[in-house]
PDB file of all heavy atoms in Angstrom:
ATOM      1  N   ILE B   1      -4.254 -14.072   5.595  1.00 90.00           N
ATOM      2  CA  ILE B   1      -4.248 -14.955   6.770  1.00 90.00           C
ATOM      3  C   ILE B   1      -3.011 -14.688   7.620  1.00 90.00           C
ATOM      4  O   ILE B   1      -3.079 -14.608   8.838  1.00 90.00           O
ATOM      5  CB  ILE B   1      -4.282 -16.436   6.312  1.00 90.00           C
ATOM      6  CG1 ILE B   1      -5.604 -16.704   5.601  1.00 90.00           C
ATOM      7  CG2 ILE B   1      -4.110 -17.390   7.475  1.00 90.00           C
ATOM      8  CD1 ILE B   1      -5.609 -17.837   4.647  1.00 90.00           C
ATOM      9  N   GLU B   2      -1.875 -14.499   6.952  1.00 92.00           N
ATOM     10  CA  GLU B   2      -0.624 -14.270   7.688  1.00 92.00           C
ATOM     11  C   GLU B   2      -0.628 -12.951   8.451  1.00 92.00           C
ATOM     12  O   GLU B   2       0.117 -12.783   9.409  1.00 92.00           O
ATOM     13  CB  GLU B   2       0.568 -14.301   6.720  1.00 92.00           C
ATOM     14  CG  GLU B   2       0.780 -15.679   6.108  1.00 92.00           C
ATOM     15  CD  GLU B   2       2.013 -15.732   5.232  1.00 92.00           C
ATOM     16  OE1 GLU B   2       3.052 -15.229   5.672  1.00 92.00           O
ATOM     17  OE2 GLU B   2       1.924 -16.278   4.121  1.00 92.00           O
ATOM     18  N   LEU B   3      -1.478 -12.015   8.013  1.00 91.00           N
ATOM     19  CA  LEU B   3      -1.484 -10.688   8.645  1.00 91.00           C
ATOM     20  C   LEU B   3      -2.519 -10.565   9.768  1.00 91.00           C
ATOM     21  O   LEU B   3      -2.678  -9.500  10.342  1.00 91.00           O
ATOM     22  CB  LEU B   3      -1.752  -9.609   7.587  1.00 91.00           C
ATOM     23  CG  LEU B   3      -0.620  -9.415   6.569  1.00 91.00           C
ATOM     24  CD1 LEU B   3      -1.063  -8.506   5.439  1.00 91.00           C
ATOM     25  CD2 LEU B   3       0.635  -8.856   7.237  1.00 91.00           C
ATOM     26  N   ILE B   4      -3.220 -11.650  10.062  1.00 88.00           N
ATOM     27  CA  ILE B   4      -4.201 -11.597  11.160  1.00 88.00           C
ATOM     28  C   ILE B   4      -3.474 -11.197  12.442  1.00 88.00           C
ATOM     29  O   ILE B   4      -2.455 -11.777  12.813  1.00 88.00           O
ATOM     30  CB  ILE B   4      -4.912 -12.969  11.335  1.00 88.00           C
ATOM     31  CG1 ILE B   4      -5.861 -13.210  10.159  1.00 88.00           C
ATOM     32  CG2 ILE B   4      -5.673 -13.035  12.655  1.00 88.00           C
ATOM     33  CD1 ILE B   4      -6.458 -14.600  10.097  1.00 88.00           C
ATOM     34  N   GLY B   5      -4.007 -10.182  13.099  1.00 89.00           N
ATOM     35  CA  GLY B   5      -3.413  -9.735  14.362  1.00 89.00           C
ATOM     36  C   GLY B   5      -2.289  -8.727  14.201  1.00 89.00           C
ATOM     37  O   GLY B   5      -1.794  -8.187  15.193  1.00 89.00           O
ATOM     38  N   VAL B   6      -1.884  -8.461  12.969  1.00 91.00           N
ATOM     39  CA  VAL B   6      -0.818  -7.473  12.745  1.00 91.00           C
ATOM     40  C   VAL B   6      -1.417  -6.067  12.861  1.00 91.00           C
ATOM     41  O   VAL B   6      -2.458  -5.766  12.282  1.00 91.00           O
ATOM     42  CB  VAL B   6      -0.175  -7.660  11.350  1.00 91.00           C
ATOM     43  CG1 VAL B   6       0.781  -6.517  11.032  1.00 91.00           C
ATOM     44  CG2 VAL B   6       0.547  -8.997  11.282  1.00 91.00           C
ATOM     45  N   GLU B   7      -0.750  -5.231  13.625  1.00 91.00           N
ATOM     46  CA  GLU B   7      -1.257  -3.868  13.844  1.00 91.00           C
ATOM     47  C   GLU B   7      -1.123  -3.029  12.561  1.00 91.00           C
ATOM     48  O   GLU B   7      -0.141  -3.140  11.829  1.00 91.00           O
ATOM     49  CB  GLU B   7      -0.435  -3.211  14.967  1.00 91.00           C
ATOM     50  CG  GLU B   7      -1.188  -2.100  15.671  1.00 91.00           C
ATOM     51  CD  GLU B   7      -0.416  -1.602  16.887  1.00 91.00           C
ATOM     52  OE1 GLU B   7       0.035  -2.437  17.700  1.00 91.00           O
ATOM     53  OE2 GLU B   7      -0.268  -0.383  16.996  1.00 91.00           O
ATOM     54  N   ASP B   8      -2.129  -2.207  12.310  1.00 93.00           N
ATOM     55  CA  ASP B   8      -2.122  -1.298  11.147  1.00 93.00           C
ATOM     56  C   ASP B   8      -1.891  -2.023   9.818  1.00 93.00           C
ATOM     57  O   ASP B   8      -1.258  -1.496   8.895  1.00 93.00           O
ATOM     58  CB  ASP B   8      -1.038  -0.206  11.314  1.00 93.00           C
ATOM     59  CG  ASP B   8      -1.455   0.833  12.352  1.00 93.00           C
ATOM     60  OD1 ASP B   8      -2.658   0.912  12.657  1.00 93.00           O
ATOM     61  OD2 ASP B   8      -0.573   1.539  12.851  1.00 93.00           O
ATOM     62  N   LYS B   9      -2.420  -3.239   9.703  1.00 94.00           N
ATOM     63  CA  LYS B   9      -2.183  -4.010   8.466  1.00 94.00           C
ATOM     64  C   LYS B   9      -2.852  -3.377   7.253  1.00 94.00           C
ATOM     65  O   LYS B   9      -2.466  -3.648   6.123  1.00 94.00           O
ATOM     66  CB  LYS B   9      -2.642  -5.459   8.628  1.00 94.00           C
ATOM     67  CG  LYS B   9      -4.113  -5.663   8.945  1.00 94.00           C
ATOM     68  CD  LYS B   9      -4.410  -7.168   9.028  1.00 94.00           C
ATOM     69  CE  LYS B   9      -5.866  -7.441   9.387  1.00 94.00           C
ATOM     70  NZ  LYS B   9      -6.144  -7.195  10.812  1.00 94.00           N
ATOM     71  N   GLU B  10      -3.834  -2.485   7.492  1.00 95.00           N
ATOM     72  CA  GLU B  10      -4.491  -1.798   6.363  1.00 95.00           C
ATOM     73  C   GLU B  10      -3.562  -0.780   5.700  1.00 95.00           C
ATOM     74  O   GLU B  10      -3.853  -0.307   4.605  1.00 95.00           O
ATOM     75  CB  GLU B  10      -5.748  -1.050   6.840  1.00 95.00           C
ATOM     76  CG  GLU B  10      -6.812  -1.918   7.458  1.00 95.00           C
ATOM     77  CD  GLU B  10      -6.601  -2.120   8.962  1.00 95.00           C
ATOM     78  OE1 GLU B  10      -5.599  -1.632   9.513  1.00 95.00           O
ATOM     79  OE2 GLU B  10      -7.451  -2.780   9.583  1.00 95.00           O
ATOM     80  N   PHE B  11      -2.456  -0.433   6.364  1.00 97.00           N
ATOM     81  CA  PHE B  11      -1.591   0.657   5.873  1.00 97.00           C
ATOM     82  C   PHE B  11      -0.201   0.196   5.442  1.00 97.00           C
ATOM     83  O   PHE B  11       0.685   1.013   5.242  1.00 97.00           O
ATOM     84  CB  PHE B  11      -1.446   1.728   6.965  1.00 97.00           C
ATOM     85  CG  PHE B  11      -2.751   2.341   7.382  1.00 97.00           C
ATOM     86  CD1 PHE B  11      -3.333   2.019   8.594  1.00 97.00           C
ATOM     87  CD2 PHE B  11      -3.412   3.237   6.543  1.00 97.00           C
ATOM     88  CE1 PHE B  11      -4.543   2.584   8.975  1.00 97.00           C
ATOM     89  CE2 PHE B  11      -4.619   3.812   6.914  1.00 97.00           C
ATOM     90  CZ  PHE B  11      -5.186   3.475   8.126  1.00 97.00           C
ATOM     91  N   ILE B  12      -0.009  -1.116   5.307  1.00 96.00           N
ATOM     92  CA  ILE B  12       1.343  -1.630   4.999  1.00 96.00           C
ATOM     93  C   ILE B  12       1.870  -1.043   3.688  1.00 96.00           C
ATOM     94  O   ILE B  12       2.993  -0.545   3.614  1.00 96.00           O
ATOM     95  CB  ILE B  12       1.339  -3.178   4.930  1.00 96.00           C
ATOM     96  CG1 ILE B  12       1.047  -3.755   6.323  1.00 96.00           C
ATOM     97  CG2 ILE B  12       2.685  -3.696   4.396  1.00 96.00           C
ATOM     98  CD1 ILE B  12       0.792  -5.250   6.343  1.00 96.00           C
ATOM     99  N   ILE B  13       1.045  -1.101   2.646  1.00 97.00           N
ATOM    100  CA  ILE B  13       1.497  -0.619   1.334  1.00 97.00           C
ATOM    101  C   ILE B  13       1.652   0.906   1.348  1.00 97.00           C
ATOM    102  O   ILE B  13       2.620   1.447   0.828  1.00 97.00           O
ATOM    103  CB  ILE B  13       0.537  -1.071   0.216  1.00 97.00           C
ATOM    104  CG1 ILE B  13       0.505  -2.600   0.144  1.00 97.00           C
ATOM    105  CG2 ILE B  13       0.953  -0.492  -1.143  1.00 97.00           C
ATOM    106  CD1 ILE B  13       1.833  -3.272  -0.110  1.00 97.00           C
ATOM    107  N   ARG B  14       0.701   1.583   1.972  1.00 97.00           N
ATOM    108  CA  ARG B  14       0.798   3.053   2.030  1.00 97.00           C
ATOM    109  C   ARG B  14       2.108   3.492   2.682  1.00 97.00           C
ATOM    110  O   ARG B  14       2.815   4.373   2.171  1.00 97.00           O
ATOM    111  CB  ARG B  14      -0.384   3.643   2.809  1.00 97.00           C
ATOM    112  CG  ARG B  14      -0.381   5.166   2.771  1.00 97.00           C
ATOM    113  CD  ARG B  14      -1.501   5.781   3.561  1.00 97.00           C
ATOM    114  NE  ARG B  14      -1.186   5.837   4.982  1.00 97.00           N
ATOM    115  CZ  ARG B  14      -1.965   6.422   5.886  1.00 97.00           C
ATOM    116  NH1 ARG B  14      -3.106   6.973   5.529  1.00 97.00           N
ATOM    117  NH2 ARG B  14      -1.626   6.449   7.152  1.00 97.00           N
ATOM    118  N   ASN B  15       2.432   2.868   3.801  1.00 96.00           N
ATOM    119  CA  ASN B  15       3.654   3.253   4.514  1.00 96.00           C
ATOM    120  C   ASN B  15       4.901   2.974   3.682  1.00 96.00           C
ATOM    121  O   ASN B  15       5.868   3.740   3.718  1.00 96.00           O
ATOM    122  CB  ASN B  15       3.731   2.528   5.867  1.00 96.00           C
ATOM    123  CG  ASN B  15       2.619   2.987   6.818  1.00 96.00           C
ATOM    124  OD1 ASN B  15       2.057   4.073   6.633  1.00 96.00           O
ATOM    125  ND2 ASN B  15       2.289   2.164   7.802  1.00 96.00           N
ATOM    126  N   ALA B  16       4.862   1.872   2.924  1.00 96.00           N
ATOM    127  CA  ALA B  16       6.020   1.528   2.082  1.00 96.00           C
ATOM    128  C   ALA B  16       6.144   2.498   0.907  1.00 96.00           C
ATOM    129  O   ALA B  16       7.250   2.954   0.570  1.00 96.00           O
ATOM    130  CB  ALA B  16       5.875   0.095   1.573  1.00 96.00           C
ATOM    131  N   ILE B  17       5.018   2.817   0.285  1.00 97.00           N
ATOM    132  CA  ILE B  17       5.034   3.637  -0.934  1.00 97.00           C
ATOM    133  C   ILE B  17       5.382   5.098  -0.631  1.00 97.00           C
ATOM    134  O   ILE B  17       5.957   5.798  -1.465  1.00 97.00           O
ATOM    135  CB  ILE B  17       3.675   3.529  -1.677  1.00 97.00           C
ATOM    136  CG1 ILE B  17       3.465   2.095  -2.177  1.00 97.00           C
ATOM    137  CG2 ILE B  17       3.579   4.513  -2.839  1.00 97.00           C
ATOM    138  CD1 ILE B  17       4.565   1.548  -3.051  1.00 97.00           C
ATOM    139  N   GLN B  18       5.059   5.563   0.580  1.00 95.00           N
ATOM    140  CA  GLN B  18       5.377   6.954   0.952  1.00 95.00           C
ATOM    141  C   GLN B  18       6.847   7.274   0.721  1.00 95.00           C
ATOM    142  O   GLN B  18       7.208   8.393   0.363  1.00 95.00           O
ATOM    143  CB  GLN B  18       5.030   7.207   2.432  1.00 95.00           C
ATOM    144  CG  GLN B  18       3.548   7.297   2.740  1.00 95.00           C
ATOM    145  CD  GLN B  18       2.843   8.459   2.049  1.00 95.00           C
ATOM    146  OE1 GLN B  18       3.463   9.269   1.362  1.00 95.00           O
ATOM    147  NE2 GLN B  18       1.529   8.544   2.188  1.00 95.00           N
ATOM    148  N   LYS B  19       7.705   6.264   0.915  1.00 93.00           N
ATOM    149  CA  LYS B  19       9.155   6.494   0.801  1.00 93.00           C
ATOM    150  C   LYS B  19       9.582   6.820  -0.634  1.00 93.00           C
ATOM    151  O   LYS B  19      10.604   7.454  -0.848  1.00 93.00           O
ATOM    152  CB  LYS B  19       9.924   5.246   1.262  1.00 93.00           C
ATOM    153  CG  LYS B  19       9.674   4.833   2.703  1.00 93.00           C
ATOM    154  CD  LYS B  19      10.392   3.513   2.975  1.00 93.00           C
ATOM    155  CE  LYS B  19       9.934   2.921   4.315  1.00 93.00           C
ATOM    156  NZ  LYS B  19      10.431   1.548   4.479  1.00 93.00           N
ATOM    157  N   ILE B  20       8.822   6.306  -1.609  1.00 96.00           N
ATOM    158  CA  ILE B  20       9.254   6.461  -3.007  1.00 96.00           C
ATOM    159  C   ILE B  20       8.258   7.255  -3.850  1.00 96.00           C
ATOM    160  O   ILE B  20       8.469   7.481  -5.038  1.00 96.00           O
ATOM    161  CB  ILE B  20       9.490   5.078  -3.674  1.00 96.00           C
ATOM    162  CG1 ILE B  20       8.218   4.225  -3.624  1.00 96.00           C
ATOM    163  CG2 ILE B  20      10.660   4.356  -3.024  1.00 96.00           C
ATOM    164  CD1 ILE B  20       8.284   2.976  -4.489  1.00 96.00           C
ATOM    165  N   ARG B  21       7.190   7.713  -3.219  1.00 96.00           N
ATOM    166  CA  ARG B  21       6.108   8.363  -3.959  1.00 96.00           C
ATOM    167  C   ARG B  21       6.598   9.551  -4.794  1.00 96.00           C
ATOM    168  O   ARG B  21       6.153   9.763  -5.922  1.00 96.00           O
ATOM    169  CB  ARG B  21       5.036   8.823  -2.962  1.00 96.00           C
ATOM    170  CG  ARG B  21       3.871   9.516  -3.608  1.00 96.00           C
ATOM    171  CD  ARG B  21       2.771   9.820  -2.617  1.00 96.00           C
ATOM    172  NE  ARG B  21       1.638  10.400  -3.325  1.00 96.00           N
ATOM    173  CZ  ARG B  21       0.423  10.490  -2.820  1.00 96.00           C
ATOM    174  NH1 ARG B  21       0.172  10.035  -1.610  1.00 96.00           N
ATOM    175  NH2 ARG B  21      -0.551  11.033  -3.519  1.00 96.00           N
ATOM    176  N   ASP B  22       7.509  10.317  -4.240  1.00 96.00           N
ATOM    177  CA  ASP B  22       7.976  11.524  -4.935  1.00 96.00           C
ATOM    178  C   ASP B  22       8.802  11.222  -6.196  1.00 96.00           C
ATOM    179  O   ASP B  22       9.104  12.121  -6.968  1.00 96.00           O
ATOM    180  CB  ASP B  22       8.802  12.402  -3.981  1.00 96.00           C
ATOM    181  CG  ASP B  22       7.921  13.042  -2.914  1.00 96.00           C
ATOM    182  OD1 ASP B  22       6.688  13.002  -3.071  1.00 96.00           O
ATOM    183  OD2 ASP B  22       8.462  13.563  -1.924  1.00 96.00           O
ATOM    184  N   ASN B  23       9.171   9.958  -6.381  1.00 97.00           N
ATOM    185  CA  ASN B  23       9.947   9.586  -7.572  1.00 97.00           C
ATOM    186  C   ASN B  23       9.071   9.429  -8.816  1.00 97.00           C
ATOM    187  O   ASN B  23       9.596   9.235  -9.908  1.00 97.00           O
ATOM    188  CB  ASN B  23      10.678   8.248  -7.348  1.00 97.00           C
ATOM    189  CG  ASN B  23      11.623   8.300  -6.159  1.00 97.00           C
ATOM    190  OD1 ASN B  23      11.957   9.381  -5.688  1.00 97.00           O
ATOM    191  ND2 ASN B  23      12.045   7.155  -5.665  1.00 97.00           N
ATOM    192  N   TYR B  24       7.753   9.479  -8.630  1.00 98.00           N
ATOM    193  CA  TYR B  24       6.844   9.157  -9.743  1.00 98.00           C
ATOM    194  C   TYR B  24       5.796  10.245  -9.968  1.00 98.00           C
ATOM    195  O   TYR B  24       5.403  10.951  -9.037  1.00 98.00           O
ATOM    196  CB  TYR B  24       6.121   7.825  -9.454  1.00 98.00           C
ATOM    197  CG  TYR B  24       7.076   6.675  -9.342  1.00 98.00           C
ATOM    198  CD1 TYR B  24       7.520   6.235  -8.100  1.00 98.00           C
ATOM    199  CD2 TYR B  24       7.578   6.047 -10.481  1.00 98.00           C
ATOM    200  CE1 TYR B  24       8.434   5.202  -7.983  1.00 98.00           C
ATOM    201  CE2 TYR B  24       8.490   5.017 -10.382  1.00 98.00           C
ATOM    202  CZ  TYR B  24       8.919   4.595  -9.134  1.00 98.00           C
ATOM    203  OH  TYR B  24       9.829   3.574  -9.034  1.00 98.00           O
ATOM    204  N   ASP B  25       5.342  10.339 -11.227  1.00 97.00           N
ATOM    205  CA  ASP B  25       4.198  11.202 -11.548  1.00 97.00           C
ATOM    206  C   ASP B  25       2.890  10.468 -11.282  1.00 97.00           C
ATOM    207  O   ASP B  25       1.916  11.063 -10.818  1.00 97.00           O
ATOM    208  CB  ASP B  25       4.246  11.625 -13.027  1.00 97.00           C
ATOM    209  CG  ASP B  25       5.504  12.417 -13.343  1.00 97.00           C
ATOM    210  OD1 ASP B  25       5.758  13.411 -12.638  1.00 97.00           O
ATOM    211  OD2 ASP B  25       6.237  12.035 -14.277  1.00 97.00           O
ATOM    212  N   TYR B  26       2.889   9.173 -11.602  1.00 98.00           N
ATOM    213  CA  TYR B  26       1.679   8.354 -11.408  1.00 98.00           C
ATOM    214  C   TYR B  26       2.049   6.999 -10.831  1.00 98.00           C
ATOM    215  O   TYR B  26       3.056   6.401 -11.230  1.00 98.00           O
ATOM    216  CB  TYR B  26       0.942   8.115 -12.745  1.00 98.00           C
ATOM    217  CG  TYR B  26       0.288   9.362 -13.272  1.00 98.00           C
ATOM    218  CD1 TYR B  26       0.968  10.197 -14.151  1.00 98.00           C
ATOM    219  CD2 TYR B  26      -0.998   9.733 -12.862  1.00 98.00           C
ATOM    220  CE1 TYR B  26       0.397  11.364 -14.614  1.00 98.00           C
ATOM    221  CE2 TYR B  26      -1.568  10.897 -13.324  1.00 98.00           C
ATOM    222  CZ  TYR B  26      -0.884  11.710 -14.195  1.00 98.00           C
ATOM    223  OH  TYR B  26      -1.457  12.857 -14.633  1.00 98.00           O
ATOM    224  N   ILE B  27       1.219   6.551  -9.893  1.00 98.00           N
ATOM    225  CA  ILE B  27       1.339   5.193  -9.368  1.00 98.00           C
ATOM    226  C   ILE B  27      -0.009   4.522  -9.607  1.00 98.00           C
ATOM    227  O   ILE B  27      -1.045   5.010  -9.143  1.00 98.00           O
ATOM    228  CB  ILE B  27       1.712   5.196  -7.867  1.00 98.00           C
ATOM    229  CG1 ILE B  27       3.081   5.872  -7.679  1.00 98.00           C
ATOM    230  CG2 ILE B  27       1.718   3.777  -7.308  1.00 98.00           C
ATOM    231  CD1 ILE B  27       3.500   6.077  -6.232  1.00 98.00           C
ATOM    232  N   ILE B  28       0.004   3.436 -10.392  1.00 98.00           N
ATOM    233  CA  ILE B  28      -1.229   2.743 -10.760  1.00 98.00           C
ATOM    234  C   ILE B  28      -1.246   1.391 -10.051  1.00 98.00           C
ATOM    235  O   ILE B  28      -0.303   0.604 -10.176  1.00 98.00           O
ATOM    236  CB  ILE B  28      -1.318   2.525 -12.292  1.00 98.00           C
ATOM    237  CG1 ILE B  28      -1.117   3.848 -13.052  1.00 98.00           C
ATOM    238  CG2 ILE B  28      -2.629   1.827 -12.670  1.00 98.00           C
ATOM    239  CD1 ILE B  28      -2.233   4.844 -12.935  1.00 98.00           C
ATOM    240  N   ILE B  29      -2.311   1.125  -9.293  1.00 98.00           N
ATOM    241  CA  ILE B  29      -2.405  -0.134  -8.538  1.00 98.00           C
ATOM    242  C   ILE B  29      -3.511  -1.002  -9.133  1.00 98.00           C
ATOM    243  O   ILE B  29      -4.664  -0.579  -9.229  1.00 98.00           O
ATOM    244  CB  ILE B  29      -2.729   0.132  -7.046  1.00 98.00           C
ATOM    245  CG1 ILE B  29      -1.751   1.154  -6.440  1.00 98.00           C
ATOM    246  CG2 ILE B  29      -2.703  -1.173  -6.255  1.00 98.00           C
ATOM    247  CD1 ILE B  29      -2.083   1.559  -5.000  1.00 98.00           C
ATOM    248  N   ASP B  30      -3.153  -2.231  -9.507  1.00 97.00           N
ATOM    249  CA  ASP B  30      -4.157  -3.194  -9.968  1.00 97.00           C
ATOM    250  C   ASP B  30      -4.648  -3.993  -8.769  1.00 97.00           C
ATOM    251  O   ASP B  30      -3.880  -4.719  -8.144  1.00 97.00           O
ATOM    252  CB  ASP B  30      -3.538  -4.130 -11.028  1.00 97.00           C
ATOM    253  CG  ASP B  30      -4.593  -5.034 -11.659  1.00 97.00           C
ATOM    254  OD1 ASP B  30      -5.766  -4.627 -11.707  1.00 97.00           O
ATOM    255  OD2 ASP B  30      -4.241  -6.138 -12.114  1.00 97.00           O
ATOM    256  N   CYS B  31      -5.937  -3.833  -8.437  1.00 96.00           N
ATOM    257  CA  CYS B  31      -6.513  -4.519  -7.274  1.00 96.00           C
ATOM    258  C   CYS B  31      -7.023  -5.906  -7.654  1.00 96.00           C
ATOM    259  O   CYS B  31      -7.371  -6.148  -8.807  1.00 96.00           O
ATOM    260  CB  CYS B  31      -7.689  -3.713  -6.728  1.00 96.00           C
ATOM    261  SG  CYS B  31      -7.249  -2.070  -6.148  1.00 96.00           S
ATOM    262  N   PRO B  32      -7.125  -6.811  -6.674  1.00 93.00           N
ATOM    263  CA  PRO B  32      -7.749  -8.107  -6.958  1.00 93.00           C
ATOM    264  C   PRO B  32      -9.254  -7.934  -7.183  1.00 93.00           C
ATOM    265  O   PRO B  32      -9.829  -6.924  -6.746  1.00 93.00           O
ATOM    266  CB  PRO B  32      -7.478  -8.922  -5.688  1.00 93.00           C
ATOM    267  CG  PRO B  32      -7.192  -7.925  -4.624  1.00 93.00           C
ATOM    268  CD  PRO B  32      -6.643  -6.710  -5.292  1.00 93.00           C
ATOM    269  N   PRO B  33      -9.905  -8.906  -7.864  1.00 88.00           N
ATOM    270  CA  PRO B  33     -11.342  -8.763  -8.131  1.00 88.00           C
ATOM    271  C   PRO B  33     -12.201  -9.164  -6.934  1.00 88.00           C
ATOM    272  O   PRO B  33     -13.126  -9.967  -7.048  1.00 88.00           O
ATOM    273  CB  PRO B  33     -11.558  -9.716  -9.318  1.00 88.00           C
ATOM    274  CG  PRO B  33     -10.502 -10.744  -9.152  1.00 88.00           C
ATOM    275  CD  PRO B  33      -9.318 -10.083  -8.510  1.00 88.00           C
ATOM    276  N   SER B  34     -11.883  -8.625  -5.768  1.00 85.00           N
ATOM    277  CA  SER B  34     -12.685  -8.876  -4.566  1.00 85.00           C
ATOM    278  C   SER B  34     -12.386  -7.763  -3.575  1.00 85.00           C
ATOM    279  O   SER B  34     -11.353  -7.098  -3.665  1.00 85.00           O
ATOM    280  CB  SER B  34     -12.321 -10.232  -3.951  1.00 85.00           C
ATOM    281  OG  SER B  34     -10.939 -10.288  -3.688  1.00 85.00           O
ATOM    282  N   LEU B  35     -13.301  -7.573  -2.634  1.00 84.00           N
ATOM    283  CA  LEU B  35     -13.104  -6.498  -1.647  1.00 84.00           C
ATOM    284  C   LEU B  35     -12.500  -7.110  -0.387  1.00 84.00           C
ATOM    285  O   LEU B  35     -13.190  -7.418   0.574  1.00 84.00           O
ATOM    286  CB  LEU B  35     -14.443  -5.810  -1.355  1.00 84.00           C
ATOM    287  CG  LEU B  35     -15.081  -5.139  -2.579  1.00 84.00           C
ATOM    288  CD1 LEU B  35     -16.447  -4.568  -2.226  1.00 84.00           C
ATOM    289  CD2 LEU B  35     -14.191  -4.041  -3.135  1.00 84.00           C
TER     290      LEU B  35
END
């Protein structure tokens, strides 16, 4: 709800994780049980 109207809100986590991605062999994301 708080992100309504925020530009590129689908990419918030991707943009954040790009900065640290090279520090890891695997990144495992637990998603909520809904789409």
Side-chain angles (χ1 to χ4, degrees):
I1 295 156
E2 294 184 46
L3 292 171
I4 289 171
V6 172
E7 204 173 311
D8 286 341
K9 60 178 178 285
E10 299 88 357
F11 300 106
I12 293 170
I13 298 301
R14 185 182 81 175
N15 294 339
I17 295 305
Q18 287 297 357
K19 300 175 192 170
I20 58 169
R21 180 174 184 164
D22 290 347
N23 301 344
Y24 298 97
D25 299 307
Y26 290 92
I27 298 174
I28 307 290
I29 308 175
D30 187 28
C31 298
S34 56
L35 298 176

